[in-house]
Amino acid sequence: MKIIVVADTHKNFEIYNEVVEKNPADYYIHLGDGVNEFADVAKSHPDKAFVFVKGESDFCTASSKQLLKLGKCRIFCAHGHEQNVTDGLDEIVAEAKTSECNILLYGHTHVYRAEKIDGIYVMNPGSLGTPRGKNSPSYGVLEISEDGQVNMQIVAY
C-alpha cells in the first residue's frame, strides 16, 4: 500500500494537485493548513481516497486528529499544533502510543523528518507551500507491505 503524505500547503493548489497527479497511491493524507486546496484537489480527483485533518489555520469542521487502520498498521494523523510539536515530540508520540498506533504522521513545523522514535514510525512531510530553513518544498511517501513492514521517504518537490 502506498500513501502520499502532505502538510502545510497554505493555498498552493497547483503544487499539491501536481503531487497527486504524478504519484499514484492508495491514499492521500493531508495533515492540515490547506483545507481549501485540499477540498479543490479532492473534488478534482473523485476516484482517489483522501484523508484530511485540520491545522490551526483551517477554519472548518474537520477533526484535528484522526486514527486510521490501514493494512496491519494503525496510523495517528494530526497537524501537531495541539500537541505542541514545535517544543518537541514527546507529547504527540505519547498520544500515538496511547492510541496503540505504530505510525505517527504530523505537520505544523514546515520541516521534514522521518525516523523511528520509541518503536513508532514518525513522519513529518515538511511543507509543500512554505518550507522553513533551507528546505525545499517536500512531501512524504509511506509504503506499508502486506506483512506490515513500513518504509518512509521524504521527497523534495
Side-chain angles (χ1 to χ4, degrees), residues 21-148:
E21 288 182 347
K22 290 185 175 183
N23 293 281
D26 298 293
Y27 292 91
Y28 298 85
I29 298 176
H30 194 302
L31 298 170
D33 282 358
V35 68
N36 293 328
E37 58 274 23
F38 167 79
D40 291 343
V41 169
K43 188 176 180 181
S44 298
H45 302 279
D47 57 321
K48 298 186 186 305
F50 289 91
V51 174
F52 179 80
V53 294
K54 74 176 178 178
E56 83 278 8
S57 298
D58 296 318
F59 300 101
C60 62
T61 59
S63 176
S64 60
K65 59 186 170 184
Q66 204 169 133
L67 299 176
L68 304 173
K69 174 85 168 96
L70 298 178
K72 293 187 175 188
C73 293
R74 287 180 50 92
I75 304 171
F76 183 86
C77 302
H79 183 63
H81 64 292
E82 292 177 347
Q83 294 83 9
N84 304 305
V85 295
T86 53
D87 294 332
L89 299 182
D90 291 345
E91 186 176 338
I92 198 167
V93 168
E95 191 169 348
K97 286 183 83 166
T98 299
S99 300
E100 298 179 351
C101 293
N102 61 323
I103 299 173
L104 162 61
L105 305 175
Y106 74 99
H108 187 58
T109 65
H110 297 225
V111 177
Y112 62 80
R113 75 188 302 161
E115 63 187 301
K116 200 167 184 181
I117 300 173
D118 204 14
I120 297 177
Y121 292 93
V122 177
M123 176 191 281
N124 182 330
S127 172
L128 274 178
T130 53
R132 293 196 177 133
K134 296 181 183 195
N135 295 319
S136 299
S138 59
Y139 61 95
V141 178
L142 180 63
E143 293 180 290
I144 303 171
S145 68
E146 286 187 23
D147 65 353

Side-chain angles (χ1 to χ4, degrees), residues 2 4 14-25 28 41 45 48 139 141 155 157:
K2 182 177 179 182
I4 300 298
E14 293 80 15
I15 194 170
Y16 178 36
N17 192 57
E18 190 172 310
V19 166
V20 170
E21 288 182 347
K22 290 185 175 183
N23 293 281
Y28 298 85
V41 169
H45 302 279
K48 298 186 186 305
Y139 61 95
V141 178
V155 179
Y157 178 78

